Structure formats: structure tokens, C-alpha cells
Amino acid sequence: MNDSYAECLVRRKVPLSASVANIIMGAITAVCLLLALSTQLIGMVLLLVFGAATYFLYRNSRVEYEYLYVDKILSVDKILGRAKRKSAWEGKMDDIQVIAPTGSHELDPYHQTGTKVLDFSSRIPGAKTYTAVVRTGSETVRVIFEPDEKMLQCFRQSAPRKIFLS
């Protein structure tokens, strides 16, 4: 049996608004620290609230996606702040209709209204993204991701008629 294995890690670009919000929340937390040193109880409560909010905002703005392809199963894990891993999506190669570069004409027959779109890409302008169209039952999902060359070759090896590289 021909077992394929490939993995790829992609970091999502941190939006400018998240960076600005992190700086503002850090400054507010620093002010709350000074307030906690002078007024004790109110300052401590505010320090705990804003400190926790700053931590969660920072962690949730740093997102990475890990693509794993093993034995005709593609899974995507979402990693928050390099600490918390969560399964984001999983699909079998049998359910995948087509994998093609995003915006290519091979995807034209699959553009339907009401199609769910899952974006697991870095969102960096100019990045080479691919779209996988997955049909499970009556539901159609378009998955946008950024596989590397090894993963594309594994896809091509297991289902050559479903993969379009250019």
C-alpha cells in the first residue's frame, strides 16, 4: 500500500488592528499596574481584568495553521499563540472534488451561492493559495490553504485527476 505523508505549517499575518489593540491593551495594563500599587483593591481587580484581556487578545491574534496529509486524509489544525492546538477541519480525498490554485478556471463550476468558505491561508498578499472543493452529502465547502510542494505531490500521487497545479 502506498502511504503518503506531508505536513506544512503556515503563519497567518497579524492584522494591523490586532497589533494596535495589543499595544493599547498593554499600555492600559501598565497603567492598571501603577494604579494597583497605589489604590490596592480597585487597582488589583482592574489589573487582573485587563491583564487577562491582554493575554487572550495577544494569544488569539497569533494564529498558525498546520496542514497534515496522511493516507488520503487532509486535516487542518489551528494553533493559537504557539500554545493551544485545536482541530479546525478534516476531509477525505474521496470527498474532495478538485484542488486547484485559487482563482483558476477549474474552480468555475463549483462557485455556488451558499457555499461555505474556510480560509486557512496566511492572508499575505501574493501568497500561492489553493482551493479544495469538498462535497459531503449535500454540503459543499471550499477550503483555502497554502500547501507546499511535497504536499501537492502527495495529492497528485493519490488522486491525479483531482489536482490542478497551474
Side-chain angles (χ1 to χ4, degrees):
M1 186 163 95
N2 189 8
D3 294 339
S4 320
Y5 175 81
E7 64 181 321
C8 181
L9 184 70
V10 174
R11 288 192 181 111
R12 178 167 273 183
K13 180 182 175 186
V14 178
L16 180 63
S17 60
S19 297
V20 170
N22 282 326
I23 291 170
I24 291 171
M25 289 299 290
I28 291 173
T29 303
V31 169
C32 287
L33 175 65
L34 295 175
L35 190 62
L37 294 175
S38 64
T39 61
Q40 297 195 357
L41 183 62
I42 295 172
M44 276 306 242
V45 170
L46 289 176
L47 177 64
L48 287 173
V49 168
F50 283 105
T54 302
Y55 169 75
F56 287 115
L57 179 67
Y58 179 81
R59 187 183 76 174
N60 291 333
S61 65
R62 287 356 183 222
V63 177
E64 297 174 339
Y65 294 108
E66 182 182 50
Y67 315 130
L68 184 63
Y69 182 72
V70 180
D71 293 333
K72 295 186 177 186
I73 296 176
L74 176 63
S75 64
V76 179
D77 289 343
K78 185 176 183 178
I79 303 168
L80 298 173
R82 296 185 180 175
K84 185 179 179 184
R85 176 182 296 264
K86 190 168 130 180
S87 179
W89 180 81
E90 185 174 292
K92 296 179 182 177
M93 200 56 146
D94 297 334
D95 296 334
I96 295 176
Q97 301 296 308
V98 64
I99 297 176
T102 303
S104 69
H105 292 293
E106 284 84 6
L107 298 170
D108 288 345
Y110 302 100
H111 287 286
Q112 304 164 352
T113 57
T115 303
K116 185 175 179 182
V117 177
L118 301 174
D119 189 357
F120 301 123
S121 66
S122 65
R123 294 186 182 171
I124 295 174
K128 183 72 172 170
T129 61
Y130 285 80
T131 300
V133 178
V134 184
R135 284 194 180 153
T136 52
S138 63
E139 183 182 39
T140 302
V141 177
R142 288 188 296 155
V143 178
I144 301 171
F145 64 114
E146 292 179 40
D148 59 359
E149 288 301 317
K150 182 180 179 187
M151 188 170 287
L152 288 171
Q153 290 306 318
C154 287
F155 292 155
R156 194 148 189 75
Q157 202 174 39
S158 63
R161 293 183 183 174
K162 295 180 179 183
I163 311 303
F164 298 94
L165 299 179
S166 57

mmCIF file of all heavy atoms in Angstrom, residues 133-149:
data_model
loop_
_atom_site.group_PDB
_atom_site.id
_atom_site.type_symbol
_atom_site.label_atom_id
_atom_site.label_comp_id
_atom_site.label_asym_id
_atom_site.label_seq_id
_atom_site.Cartn_x
_atom_site.Cartn_y
_atom_site.Cartn_z
ATOM 1 N N VAL A 133 -12.346 21.933 -3.152
ATOM 2 C CA VAL A 133 -13.808 21.884 -3.109
ATOM 3 C C VAL A 133 -14.191 20.517 -2.572
ATOM 4 O O VAL A 133 -13.827 19.492 -3.137
ATOM 5 C CB VAL A 133 -14.423 22.107 -4.504
ATOM 6 C CG1 VAL A 133 -15.932 21.997 -4.437
ATOM 7 C CG2 VAL A 133 -14.000 23.456 -5.052
ATOM 8 N N VAL A 134 -14.912 20.515 -1.445
ATOM 9 C CA VAL A 134 -15.255 19.275 -0.749
ATOM 10 C C VAL A 134 -16.767 19.151 -0.685
ATOM 11 O O VAL A 134 -17.450 20.078 -0.246
ATOM 12 C CB VAL A 134 -14.669 19.274 0.685
ATOM 13 C CG1 VAL A 134 -14.932 17.955 1.366
ATOM 14 C CG2 VAL A 134 -13.186 19.582 0.666
ATOM 15 N N ARG A 135 -17.268 17.998 -1.110
ATOM 16 C CA ARG A 135 -18.705 17.722 -1.024
ATOM 17 C C ARG A 135 -18.916 16.530 -0.111
ATOM 18 O O ARG A 135 -18.453 15.436 -0.370
ATOM 19 C CB ARG A 135 -19.280 17.409 -2.400
ATOM 20 C CG ARG A 135 -19.446 18.626 -3.241
ATOM 21 C CD ARG A 135 -20.308 18.347 -4.438
ATOM 22 N NE ARG A 135 -20.437 19.571 -5.225
ATOM 23 C CZ ARG A 135 -20.654 19.581 -6.508
ATOM 24 N NH1 ARG A 135 -20.790 18.454 -7.162
ATOM 25 N NH2 ARG A 135 -20.753 20.718 -7.151
ATOM 26 N N THR A 136 -19.634 16.776 0.973
ATOM 27 C CA THR A 136 -20.034 15.703 1.882
ATOM 28 C C THR A 136 -21.547 15.753 1.977
ATOM 29 O O THR A 136 -22.105 16.689 2.542
ATOM 30 C CB THR A 136 -19.399 15.872 3.278
ATOM 31 O OG1 THR A 136 -19.669 17.187 3.750
ATOM 32 C CG2 THR A 136 -17.899 15.656 3.230
ATOM 33 N N GLY A 137 -22.184 14.771 1.410
ATOM 34 C CA GLY A 137 -23.643 14.766 1.380
ATOM 35 C C GLY A 137 -24.138 15.883 0.491
ATOM 36 O O GLY A 137 -23.776 15.990 -0.673
ATOM 37 N N SER A 138 -24.968 16.759 1.033
ATOM 38 C CA SER A 138 -25.499 17.878 0.256
ATOM 39 C C SER A 138 -24.725 19.168 0.511
ATOM 40 O O SER A 138 -25.035 20.198 -0.080
ATOM 41 C CB SER A 138 -26.971 18.089 0.606
ATOM 42 O OG SER A 138 -27.087 18.451 1.959
ATOM 43 N N GLU A 139 -23.741 19.129 1.382
ATOM 44 C CA GLU A 139 -22.982 20.318 1.742
ATOM 45 C C GLU A 139 -21.719 20.434 0.894
ATOM 46 O O GLU A 139 -20.993 19.464 0.702
ATOM 47 C CB GLU A 139 -22.605 20.268 3.229
ATOM 48 C CG GLU A 139 -21.877 21.491 3.707
ATOM 49 C CD GLU A 139 -21.469 21.387 5.162
ATOM 50 O OE1 GLU A 139 -21.063 20.295 5.602
ATOM 51 O OE2 GLU A 139 -21.541 22.416 5.843
ATOM 52 N N THR A 140 -21.463 21.640 0.396
ATOM 53 C CA THR A 140 -20.245 21.925 -0.366
ATOM 54 C C THR A 140 -19.439 22.960 0.395
ATOM 55 O O THR A 140 -19.954 23.993 0.800
ATOM 56 C CB THR A 140 -20.579 22.461 -1.767
ATOM 57 O OG1 THR A 140 -21.381 21.493 -2.445
ATOM 58 C CG2 THR A 140 -19.323 22.703 -2.567
ATOM 59 N N VAL A 141 -18.162 22.650 0.595
ATOM 60 C CA VAL A 141 -17.268 23.536 1.335
ATOM 61 C C VAL A 141 -16.062 23.828 0.452
ATOM 62 O O VAL A 141 -15.509 22.927 -0.174
ATOM 63 C CB VAL A 141 -16.807 22.880 2.656
ATOM 64 C CG1 VAL A 141 -15.833 23.771 3.390
ATOM 65 C CG2 VAL A 141 -17.989 22.548 3.536
ATOM 66 N N ARG A 142 -15.657 25.096 0.408
ATOM 67 C CA ARG A 142 -14.415 25.472 -0.261
ATOM 68 C C ARG A 142 -13.383 25.778 0.806
ATOM 69 O O ARG A 142 -13.591 26.650 1.645
ATOM 70 C CB ARG A 142 -14.624 26.675 -1.168
ATOM 71 C CG ARG A 142 -15.422 26.315 -2.409
ATOM 72 C CD ARG A 142 -15.489 27.426 -3.396
ATOM 73 N NE ARG A 142 -16.205 28.566 -2.823
ATOM 74 C CZ ARG A 142 -16.038 29.823 -3.209
ATOM 75 N NH1 ARG A 142 -15.205 30.106 -4.163
ATOM 76 N NH2 ARG A 142 -16.730 30.786 -2.650
ATOM 77 N N VAL A 143 -12.267 25.061 0.771
ATOM 78 C CA VAL A 143 -11.196 25.220 1.751
ATOM 79 C C VAL A 143 -10.020 25.890 1.062
ATOM 80 O O VAL A 143 -9.483 25.352 0.091
ATOM 81 C CB VAL A 143 -10.779 23.851 2.336
ATOM 82 C CG1 VAL A 143 -9.646 24.025 3.317
ATOM 83 C CG2 VAL A 143 -11.956 23.159 2.984
ATOM 84 N N ILE A 144 -9.615 27.041 1.564
ATOM 85 C CA ILE A 144 -8.479 27.778 1.010
ATOM 86 C C ILE A 144 -7.284 27.534 1.927
ATOM 87 O O ILE A 144 -7.363 27.758 3.139
ATOM 88 C CB ILE A 144 -8.792 29.282 0.917
ATOM 89 C CG1 ILE A 144 -10.026 29.501 0.039
ATOM 90 C CG2 ILE A 144 -7.594 30.047 0.380
ATOM 91 C CD1 ILE A 144 -10.545 30.910 0.048
ATOM 92 N N PHE A 145 -6.181 27.075 1.332
ATOM 93 C CA PHE A 145 -4.990 26.770 2.119
ATOM 94 C C PHE A 145 -3.738 26.956 1.272
ATOM 95 O O PHE A 145 -3.820 27.217 0.076
ATOM 96 C CB PHE A 145 -5.074 25.364 2.718
ATOM 97 C CG PHE A 145 -5.093 24.242 1.715
ATOM 98 C CD1 PHE A 145 -4.037 23.354 1.641
ATOM 99 C CD2 PHE A 145 -6.169 24.054 0.855
ATOM 100 C CE1 PHE A 145 -4.047 22.317 0.720
ATOM 101 C CE2 PHE A 145 -6.198 23.017 -0.056
ATOM 102 C CZ PHE A 145 -5.114 22.143 -0.127
ATOM 103 N N GLU A 146 -2.556 26.832 1.892
ATOM 104 C CA GLU A 146 -1.271 27.034 1.223
ATOM 105 C C GLU A 146 -0.380 25.808 1.402
ATOM 106 O O GLU A 146 0.495 25.794 2.259
ATOM 107 C CB GLU A 146 -0.549 28.245 1.807
ATOM 108 C CG GLU A 146 -1.201 29.561 1.526
ATOM 109 C CD GLU A 146 -0.445 30.712 2.150
ATOM 110 O OE1 GLU A 146 0.808 30.704 2.122
ATOM 111 O OE2 GLU A 146 -1.111 31.611 2.681
ATOM 112 N N PRO A 147 -0.572 24.783 0.593
ATOM 113 C CA PRO A 147 0.284 23.606 0.726
ATOM 114 C C PRO A 147 1.665 23.853 0.127
ATOM 115 O O PRO A 147 1.838 24.704 -0.744
ATOM 116 C CB PRO A 147 -0.470 22.535 -0.063
ATOM 117 C CG PRO A 147 -1.203 23.304 -1.104
ATOM 118 C CD PRO A 147 -1.576 24.606 -0.442
ATOM 119 N N ASP A 148 2.652 23.094 0.600
ATOM 120 C CA ASP A 148 3.979 23.174 -0.001
ATOM 121 C C ASP A 148 4.084 22.163 -1.146
ATOM 122 O O ASP A 148 3.142 21.435 -1.442
ATOM 123 C CB ASP A 148 5.070 22.955 1.049
ATOM 124 C CG ASP A 148 4.972 21.613 1.744
ATOM 125 O OD1 ASP A 148 4.045 20.833 1.437
ATOM 126 O OD2 ASP A 148 5.831 21.338 2.602
ATOM 127 N N GLU A 149 5.227 22.112 -1.795
ATOM 128 C CA GLU A 149 5.403 21.250 -2.965
ATOM 129 C C GLU A 149 5.265 19.767 -2.618
ATOM 130 O O GLU A 149 4.696 18.995 -3.383
ATOM 131 C CB GLU A 149 6.764 21.513 -3.615
ATOM 132 C CG GLU A 149 6.836 22.832 -4.337
ATOM 133 C CD GLU A 149 5.808 22.945 -5.447
ATOM 134 O OE1 GLU A 149 5.614 21.976 -6.199
ATOM 135 O OE2 GLU A 149 5.201 24.019 -5.569
#
